[in-house]
Amino acid sequence: MEVFKFGGASLKDAAGIRNVANIIASKAASNLVVVVSAMGKTTNALERAVALAQKNQDPSSELGPLHDYHLQVMRELFPENHPVFAAVDALFTTLRKELNSPGEYDQVYDQVVSGGEVISSVIVHHFLLSQSCPSHWLDARTCIATDRTFREGKIDWTRTEGNIANLPPILADHVIITQGFIGRSSDGLTLTLGREGSDFSAAIFASCLHAAAVTIWKDVPGVMNADPKRLPAAVVFEELPFQEAAEMTYYGANVIHPKTIKPLANANIPLLVKNFTDPSLPGTRIHACKIENLPPLIVFKDNQCLVSCRVTDYTFINEQQLSLIFNALSELDLRVNVIQNSAISFSFCLDFRESKILSLIRKLQEHFEVYYNTGLTLITVKNYDKQTFDTYRNKPNVLLEQSSRSTLQVLIR
């Protein structure tokens, strides 16, 4: 069996859903798990709705147009009075209730934003049935078990494997349609697995089902050595080793979610990245292999924050002070992208999540003078050559620079 994952760009309109259905139909009528993301920019709209509700403002300005968008897509796919309309209306009613539910921001976020994937999967499931495809709708939360780390749910692999072990009889004569990005804690709350976490969901299902392969369908011809929107001369990798792909995702290459590679590499399941607008293109195969002389990989990571901690008594930065910093980062579940220290200061770069960053700064100010800059871009050049090294090292407005034998990183305004 295989696992397919379709992102929001492939499902953004009725034509996209028809195309996805054709790709599924060309593959098989069974032994296929299809993981879908929210349609189009649904997740962004739901995030804005949560932000409004948390400020005690009316989220209807986001939910209303979002509901209309889904209705318009459904009207192009289904006849009037089709059951899908009532199903989606009920899901939007649930979203409105969740927006008004008590709880901390991240908890409410997960209950609401997860709804985008559920709505998308319901629409795709009903459309496949209308095309005589034997589709089975599966709530991913009944399979993927997590802890209570909201917005970054940690997988309980033992429980998850036990849940997914029940799927093979269904797969024998159905295509399973399920959601990416979401799981459930032991007390019944919905958890998201991190932004763009649908790739990881596909890897979880594949690992537990011992799949032959996972295919991620994108709007690019495969994994490229740079974002073609920033660097039009970017080239497609025909194949990549698991380790190289894992490092790419660590540095912020957003073609694959960072957690996707590990479960696939451990199970030796190849990952294919293919183009949904032209499925005939070969795409990129990520698997156990060795490749010499890869071209430079250039990754841009926006919305970065540089935090600098300076000691206040003229002592040098030591292990005790580093422990204070890393304990604060761990307590807030924040991941550092680059670190650098001098005699009396320690600087680090991380993704900017305002509420968590401000909490971190308050903690650190108990021990240090703290300075921070936001709105920065981290550029990583892996496997650099002389030309790329010189080009990016000499960028204007560099706040931090770091290089090793194979990797250059610069943080710029």
Side-chain angles (χ1 to χ4, degrees):
M1 62 81 56
E2 295 187 38
V3 178
F4 283 1
K5 180 263 175 174
F6 292 97
S10 65
L11 300 163
K12 66 181 180 180
D13 52 27
I17 292 174
R18 290 190 183 97
N19 181 57
V20 165
N22 288 335
I23 293 172
I24 293 169
S26 70
K27 179 62 184 177
S30 62
N31 277 314
L32 180 66
V33 174
V34 177
V35 175
V36 298
S37 298
M39 293 164 52
K41 301 296 183 182
T42 294
T43 300
N44 294 341
L46 290 174
E47 286 178 335
R48 294 192 295 269
V50 172
L52 288 171
Q54 290 288 297
K55 296 174 184 176
N56 295 316
Q57 298 177 15
D58 186 0
S60 297
S61 59
E62 294 294 340
L63 278 191
L66 188 63
H67 196 172
D68 291 342
Y69 159 65
H70 285 84
L71 286 173
Q72 180 58 42
V73 172
M74 289 189 293
R75 290 187 187 109
E76 295 181 40
L77 296 173
F78 303 98
E80 283 188 56
N81 301 319
H82 189 282
V84 71
F85 290 96
V88 170
D89 284 348
L91 291 170
F92 271 95
T93 298
T94 299
L95 284 179
R96 291 183 175 90
K97 290 179 181 177
E98 295 289 3
L99 278 166
N100 294 316
S101 63
E104 295 184 357
Y105 182 92
D106 285 352
Q107 178 177 331
V108 175
Y109 175 102
D110 276 5
Q111 311 318 298
V112 173
V113 174
S114 58
E117 273 67 19
V118 178
I119 294 167
S120 174
S121 66
V122 166
I123 293 172
V124 173
H125 163 65
H126 280 283
F127 185 69
L128 288 174
L129 289 178
S130 74
Q131 302 301 298
S132 301
C133 177
S135 173
H136 175 88
W137 184 84
L138 174 72
D139 188 335
R141 293 167 292 190
T142 64
C143 289
I144 296 181
T146 71
D147 67 356
R148 280 176 55 97
T149 307
F150 293 108
R151 298 184 69 177
E152 199 73 44
K154 307 296 189 297
I155 304 301
D156 182 330
W157 283 96
T158 300
R159 287 170 53 213
T160 298
E161 288 169 356
N163 294 337
I164 292 177
N166 298 316
L167 299 185
I170 300 171
L171 283 165
D173 51 13
H174 288 84
V175 171
I176 288 180
I177 305 299
T178 193
Q179 311 80 36
F181 182 55
I182 64 176
R184 179 177 286 157
S185 63
S186 58
D187 56 356
L189 289 172
T190 298
L191 275 286
T192 62
L193 307 183
R195 202 64 157 81
E196 310 295 336
S198 294
D199 295 350
F200 184 35
S201 298
I204 294 168
F205 278 104
S207 174
C208 294
L209 289 166
H210 310 289
V214 174
T215 303
I216 296 176
W217 297 90
K218 306 282 293 185
D219 57 357
V220 291
V223 179
M224 308 180 78
N225 74 321
D227 182 348
K229 295 175 183 175
R230 292 188 189 253
L231 298 174
V235 298
V236 178
F237 295 107
E238 292 183 6
E239 60 178 344
L240 281 171
F242 281 126
Q243 182 175 342
E244 190 77 19
E247 290 187 48
M248 288 172 57
T249 64
Y250 174 84
Y251 290 126
N254 58 14
V255 69
I256 307 167
H257 188 273
K259 295 179 182 177
T260 305
I261 300 298
K262 181 179 178 180
L264 299 181
N266 287 343
N268 199 25
I269 298 170
L271 172 63
L272 311 177
V273 179
K274 298 200 63 165
N275 183 264
F276 62 76
T277 59
D278 188 355
S280 67
L281 293 175
T284 302
R285 183 180 181 88
I286 300 169
H287 61 129
C289 64
K290 289 186 178 180
I291 303 175
E292 302 293 337
N293 301 319
L294 283 167
L297 168 74
I298 304 164
V299 178
F300 294 80
K301 198 167 189 180
D302 295 320
N303 196 33
Q304 296 296 290
C305 176
L306 177 65
V307 179
S308 297
C309 300
R310 184 184 294 271
V311 294
T312 58
D313 59 358
Y314 298 99
T315 58
F316 296 140
I317 288 284
N318 59 32
E319 289 76 9
Q320 182 179 359
Q321 291 158 335
L322 291 176
S323 176
L324 292 170
I325 295 169
F326 281 103
N327 281 337
L329 288 163
S330 179
E331 288 173 13
L332 291 165
D333 196 34
L334 289 167
R335 186 177 78 84
V336 173
N337 297 323
V338 182
I339 61 175
Q340 194 171 88
N341 70 285
S342 67
I344 60 172
S345 70
F346 184 82
S347 299
F348 52 93
C349 163
L350 68 174
D351 298 347
F352 182 65
R353 289 171 58 178
E354 184 173 10
S355 61
K356 287 202 171 188
I357 295 296
L358 294 179
S359 296
L360 174 67
I361 289 167
R362 286 193 292 269
K363 281 179 176 287
L364 295 176
Q365 283 175 334
E366 297 173 9
H367 308 282
F368 305 95
E369 290 181 12
V370 182
Y371 308 89
Y372 69 101
N373 304 82
T374 61
L376 310 179
T377 297
L378 177 63
I379 305 174
T380 301
V381 185
K382 191 175 183 302
N383 308 320
Y384 60 75
D385 54 21
K386 185 179 186 307
Q387 180 181 350
T388 53
F389 186 90
D390 291 343
T391 296
Y392 289 97
R393 188 183 184 192
N394 294 320
K395 284 275 186 184
N397 302 315
V398 173
L399 297 183
L400 182 150
E401 174 194 326
Q402 197 168 97
S403 64
S404 67
R405 293 179 182 179
S406 63
T407 304
L408 168 70
Q409 292 186 287
V410 291
L411 186 67
I412 63 173
R413 292 183 190 275

